[in-house]
Amino acid sequence: MTLRMAIAGGGLAAFLLGMAAALAGSAFWLGLYLALLVGLTAVPLGALALLMIHQLAGGEWGRNLGPLLRGATRLLPLAALLFVPVLVGLEVLYPWARPGWEGPGGKGVWLQDWFFIARSVVYFASWILTAWLLLRPGRHPVVAGLGMAAYTITASLAGVDWLMTLEPEFNSSVFGLLFMSQLVLGALALLVAVALRSPMALPARKTLASLLLAAVLLWGYLAFMQYLVIWSVDLPHEVSWYLQRSEGVWALIPWGLVLLQFLLPLILLLSWARSSRRILAGVAVLLFAMHMLEAGWMVLPGLRL
Amino acid sequence: MSRLLSSEETYETVTQQVTDITLHPPARRRWWMLMALSLLMLGIFFLSTGWLFIAGVGIWGLNVPVNWGLDIVNTVWWVGIGHAGTMISALLLVMGQQWRNSLNRFAEAMTLFAAICAALFPILHLGKPELFYWMFPYPNTMDLWPQFRSPLVWDVFSFTAYITVSFLFWYVGMIPDLATMRDKTTKPLARAIYGRLALGWRGTAQHWERWRQAYVAIALITFHLVVTVHSGVAMLFAGGPVPGWHTTIFPPFFVQGAVFSGVAVVILLAVVLRHAFHLGNLLTLKHLDILAKLLLATGLLTAYGYLADAFHAWYSGDIHEMQTLHDRLFGRYAWSAWGSLFLNIVLIQLLWFRRIRRSVPMLFVIALGAAVGMWLERYLLIVTGLYRDFLPSSWHGYETTIWEWGLFIGSIGLFAVLFLLFARFLPLVSMFELKEELAAERRMKGDEE
């Protein structure tokens, strides 16, 4: 009960702060709000994906993570509510929402206030519906199969909408897939850390370690491929995304991500260290912290203040 | 875990059935007929390469701006097919999935032969194929190094590594079975050959322990090669400023498209082998059902790739991207776009139905469609990315010549000859891994009782 009240109280406080930032027109504060919100929304949203994957593929890990995944998915309506300040303050954050902006071709159609808001509503409605259908007792493989197909499209587009269009010149077709890998990594990191608070046998812990390893590898692969393709061709409207994110202190974060969201977890999760409950929990906490930092890094340096 | 094999199978019946295929070939005439056809196709291969060496690459339909044609289409297609074999063998081994045991041996053979076919085309494309070793960074009197920033060089490394490691994985995985062949055969020459290949395997606990370590270690290496090799192939396209080629989704999209086409070919081979050698009891309908689900899942990811690619081309608002998208769907080579959309996306939706997944003829048709569809997709990506360049003055079409088709048909012949030799002389199904599976199933049954 206390957890529920804490979440409700925190949610209300966050909502009010977000509204204040949106109405005051402060791009930095609303940007920080968006970064934290996207970082935390990864938990219910990534949990929904993991829940569907488990319904389709099965696996022992469902026994330990299942209740947490279900619990996390129930936070989706709260996340939807907390997006309202972002939608209210669209033109504070998104250059395309400001008067006088005109985009070429598809951008002009895609990037309109009412269309953006309608899409966000549809995304959340589809996720909440899928979650509601899945959380009924019993197994629902058909819901999970169709839900997963819909989810890959809605979650990809949500990533494109919320994060990529902060800089309307930028365009990367792997962005949606990369966003989904961030959702799964963020959710898995936090939920594994929570799950390890209760006692768990060694084989079950090793399975969780393998899941984390898979999520880290997937994220590392997609993030590096996006970078490599953009680096190779070196087009101004693409490399500027990375250049802006490596100016001044921001330059520390990509290196931090390489070391602490990829290399160190990779080594620890592949070695004997993963048998230790403490080290595994430490890796999970580190991954979640890096996930939040990455969300900030994706939003803040690109803002046009 | 549900049972895959019938409870009537024993260690003896598995060994007998698999060794009999080699030692007392059941379908000699059919094998020779297939071999004759494959040799004819291999003849076309030698004819096409022979004339190529004499006359040069001018006999192909390549010209500015379409400098990559059927040869690169075939490279990408063949190497992609190989990836499913590696994935089924290595990834599923590491994940402890038992159902791979009936499929892994011939899937690995498929990987190796497909990778060999793939590697031939870029070398033949060179114009001076005899100088292919210039692509390697060796100390030479000209003081020339390859351009290490180019995906072309990465591919030289990744293909070389892939063929080497795939061979090792296939061979090391076969050693215990080669020893069984040595012990079962009655002919002295065959015994000598199988004996040499089995490297003195005696099946001691120490042998098994060392073998296990080696096998799992190679599996981990091969698995990462699936991702890197095909991402390297994708970089050939995504790493250049060509509309329709330069897009960040290409590496993951190519990798899973590769697995999609490879699963299709594994299904084709499984259907043919279980029919030709009466392997229905080892390659069961349950195996085909799982493969069909895998085909559906990877096919849906292919559809995601198409959508993401088209959406971001449209979203970019870039006139060249838009023009390439338009050319692909309605231009001169639109048949390749609609063909691949139908075969890779529409047709496979039938696999949602269990009845179709378990109908061998339907599955064969759908898998054949996916293999053809992925070939069309590679054709689409390569040719339509090039034929209408930035400069309208250099727009020029591409007509595939008979020599390019000859080489393509010939490469299928090469694959078929290698595969038929493998099916005739080497253990087609992994006997010892099936026996391990039987043992595990017995233990489970014992636990239940």
Side-chain angles (χ1 to χ4, degrees):
Chain A
M1 208 59 202
T2 46
L3 179 66
R4 233 178 244 190
M5 276 163 69
I7 290 174
L12 185 68
F15 181 81
L16 292 175
L17 284 172
M19 280 310 256
L23 295 174
S26 160
F28 175 78
W29 289 106
L30 192 58
L32 189 64
Y33 178 82
L34 176 69
L36 289 171
L37 181 59
V38 170
L40 290 173
T41 301
V43 177
L45 207 46
L48 179 62
L50 287 164
L51 209 57
M52 290 189 281
I53 292 171
H54 185 261
Q55 294 254 329
L56 288 172
E60 281 295 303
W61 53 278
R63 203 169 293 173
N64 292 307
L65 283 188
L68 288 171
L69 292 175
R70 289 164 180 272
T73 318
R74 292 208 169 84
L75 292 172
L76 274 173
L78 178 67
L81 194 67
L82 289 177
F83 260 90
V84 172
V86 175
L87 301 180
V88 169
L90 271 188
E91 63 180 277
V92 181
L93 284 180
Y94 298 93
W96 51 262
R98 293 171 195 163
W101 187 87
E102 267 181 54
K107 278 179 193 165
V109 180
W110 193 253
L111 301 177
Q112 303 179 65
D113 293 13
W114 69 269
F115 195 20
F116 184 95
I117 294 171
R119 284 198 307 269
S120 287
V121 170
V122 170
Y123 303 151
F124 272 111
S126 75
W127 299 329
I128 291 171
L129 177 70
T130 315
W132 181 73
L133 289 171
L134 276 178
L135 290 179
R136 291 171 307 157
R139 277 191 74 233
H140 309 284
V142 178
V143 175
L146 295 173
M148 200 66 216
Y151 178 93
T152 47
I153 293 171
T154 50
S156 301
L157 289 178
V160 167
D161 277 354
W162 298 339
L163 298 181
M164 202 181 89
T165 68
L166 284 167
E167 287 134 290
E169 308 76 35
F170 184 64
N171 186 14
S172 164
S173 53
V174 83
F175 202 91
L177 212 55
L178 179 59
F179 180 67
M180 272 193 278
S181 76
Q182 290 165 338
L183 296 179
V184 170
L185 180 58
L188 206 54
L190 186 70
L191 297 180
V192 165
V194 175
L196 285 172
R197 284 161 52 112
S198 30
M200 198 187 294
L202 182 62
R205 292 206 308 268
K206 279 193 172 169
T207 314
L208 294 188
S210 305
L211 277 177
L212 270 182
L213 179 65
V216 166
L217 284 173
L218 181 68
W219 170 82
Y221 168 68
L222 293 173
F224 178 62
M225 282 302 138
Q226 174 174 290
Y227 177 76
L228 185 66
V229 171
I230 288 173
W231 170 83
S232 291
V233 179
D234 208 17
L235 291 172
H237 65 273
E238 292 179 348
V239 285
S240 59
W241 195 86
Y242 282 102
L243 290 177
Q244 269 180 326
R245 280 162 182 74
S246 49
E247 268 175 16
V249 256
W250 291 121
L252 292 173
I253 296 185
W255 289 110
L257 289 172
V258 171
L259 287 175
L260 301 177
Q261 193 167 303
F262 190 74
L263 283 178
L264 184 67
L266 188 70
I267 292 166
L268 290 175
L269 292 172
L270 276 174
S271 67
W272 57 268
R274 67 177 181 169
S275 310
S276 148
R277 198 175 80 143
R278 250 188 225 167
I279 294 181
L280 185 57
V283 170
V285 170
L286 173 72
L287 283 172
F288 187 71
M290 292 313 292
H291 161 77
M292 292 303 290
L293 205 60
E294 190 191 13
W297 177 73
M298 290 184 79
V299 173
L300 293 174
L303 292 179
R304 315 278 156 77
L305 300 173
Chain B
M1 192 180 76
S2 61
R3 296 181 63 97
L4 286 164
L5 301 175
S6 144
S7 54
E8 285 163 20
E9 302 297 336
T10 64
Y11 301 157
E12 293 75 24
T13 56
V14 170
T15 309
Q16 197 64 37
Q17 190 181 356
V18 177
T19 51
D20 270 358
I21 294 174
T22 312
L23 302 177
H24 311 284
R28 263 177 213 271
R29 262 191 56 181
R30 241 182 295 172
W31 187 87
W32 273 114
M33 271 157 60
L34 279 173
M35 193 59 171
L37 183 69
S38 308
L39 283 172
L40 183 73
M41 284 158 78
L42 187 64
I44 298 175
F45 175 82
F46 284 120
L47 194 68
S48 309
T49 39
W51 182 233
L52 178 76
F53 288 166
I54 296 165
V57 281
I59 60 168
W60 294 350
L62 301 178
N63 210 333
V64 175
V66 186
N67 281 313
W68 281 0
L70 224 56
D71 50 344
I72 306 299
V73 174
N74 294 336
T75 303
V76 180
W77 187 69
W78 273 120
V79 77
I81 285 172
H83 290 336
T86 316
M87 206 201 72
I88 286 175
S89 294
L91 180 64
L92 300 183
L93 172 75
V94 178
M95 285 168 58
Q97 299 281 328
Q98 295 292 328
W99 60 271
R100 72 181 266 289
N101 294 335
S102 298
L103 308 162
N104 64 337
R105 177 68 43 71
F106 75 82
E108 283 160 30
M110 173 193 87
T111 295
L112 182 63
F113 305 149
I116 291 171
C117 289
L120 284 171
F121 287 95
I123 294 176
L124 294 176
H125 186 124
L126 286 176
K128 290 184 186 295
E130 67 279 12
L131 297 179
F132 77 96
Y133 63 91
W134 283 19
M135 292 182 292
F136 288 100
Y138 69 102
N140 56 66
T141 51
M142 296 173 288
D143 229 10
L144 266 178
W145 289 95
Q147 168 57 281
F148 286 110
R149 286 183 168 197
S150 163
L152 290 163
V153 175
W154 308 344
D155 281 352
V156 175
F157 290 113
S158 64
F159 273 60
T160 318
Y162 193 50
I163 290 177
T164 314
V165 179
S166 298
F167 171 76
L168 273 178
F169 191 53
W170 180 61
Y171 174 59
V172 170
M174 207 159 34
I175 289 174
D177 278 353
L178 288 169
T180 308
M181 302 293 292
R182 169 196 66 194
D183 300 340
K184 285 276 166 190
T185 186
T186 45
K187 294 171 190 146
L189 179 65
R191 180 174 296 156
I193 293 173
Y194 287 128
R196 294 291 182 285
L197 291 175
L199 303 179
W201 180 269
R202 294 190 309 280
T204 63
Q206 203 179 25
H207 277 181
W208 279 108
E209 195 209 345
R210 298 256 167 90
W211 175 86
R212 191 87 207 159
Q213 282 175 353
Y215 194 51
V216 171
I218 305 175
L220 288 170
I221 299 173
T222 37
F223 171 60
H224 111 84
L225 278 172
V226 168
V227 178
T228 44
V229 168
H230 223 73
S231 299
V233 170
M235 285 304 294
L236 292 174
F237 306 99
V242 177
W245 278 15
H246 170 61
T247 179
T248 50
I249 192 101
F250 263 22
F253 168 54
F254 267 53
V255 171
Q256 60 78 22
V259 175
F260 173 61
S261 63
V263 171
V265 176
V266 169
I267 291 176
L268 295 179
L269 291 173
V271 169
V272 173
L273 290 175
R274 80 196 284 276
H275 182 72
F277 299 116
H278 309 293
L279 288 170
N281 56 334
L282 302 181
L283 282 167
T284 62
L285 284 178
K286 280 184 199 158
H287 289 101
L288 292 181
D289 184 65
I290 299 173
L291 283 173
K293 282 182 186 161
L294 203 57
L295 189 69
L296 178 62
T298 47
L300 289 172
L301 280 168
T302 307
Y304 175 87
Y306 291 161
L307 277 177
D309 191 28
F311 171 78
H312 284 271
W314 170 77
Y315 173 81
S316 75
D318 182 281
I319 51 165
H320 300 291
E321 291 285 350
M322 291 294 288
Q323 186 215 317
T324 304
L325 184 63
H326 187 267
D327 286 345
R328 282 184 171 163
L329 291 174
F330 309 107
R332 184 165 164 186
Y333 305 98
W335 50 268
S336 61
W338 296 106
S340 58
L341 283 174
F342 176 74
L343 293 169
N344 295 342
I345 294 179
V346 179
L347 193 62
I348 59 160
Q349 301 307 322
L350 289 171
L351 297 173
W352 285 95
F353 303 100
R354 188 189 152 92
R355 267 227 332 258
I356 292 189
R357 289 200 303 269
R358 298 204 171 203
S359 145
V360 178
M362 282 300 288
L363 195 55
F364 189 83
V365 170
I366 294 171
L368 188 64
V372 175
M374 282 308 287
W375 189 89
L376 290 173
E377 186 211 290
R378 274 40 173 137
Y379 187 96
L380 164 82
L381 289 178
I382 292 173
V383 177
T384 59
L386 292 175
Y387 84 111
R388 304 232 280 176
D389 209 347
F390 287 112
L391 282 177
S393 60
S394 60
W395 289 357
H396 198 276
Y398 164 66
E399 294 294 338
T400 313
T401 65
I402 191 166
W403 297 108
E404 292 171 277
W405 287 116
L407 206 54
F408 176 44
I409 293 166
S411 69
I412 297 175
L414 176 66
F415 178 87
V417 168
L418 289 170
F419 201 85
L420 283 167
L421 287 173
F422 156 71
R424 171 70 184 78
F425 293 111
L426 290 169
L428 194 57
V429 177
S430 176
M431 292 179 267
F432 71 97
E433 278 165 308
L434 274 181
K435 286 184 260 180
E436 274 179 1
E437 192 182 323
L438 279 177
E441 286 185 358
R442 275 186 195 177
R443 266 199 304 279
M444 261 197 354
K445 205 175 157 201
D447 288 348
E448 280 163 17
E449 278 164 8

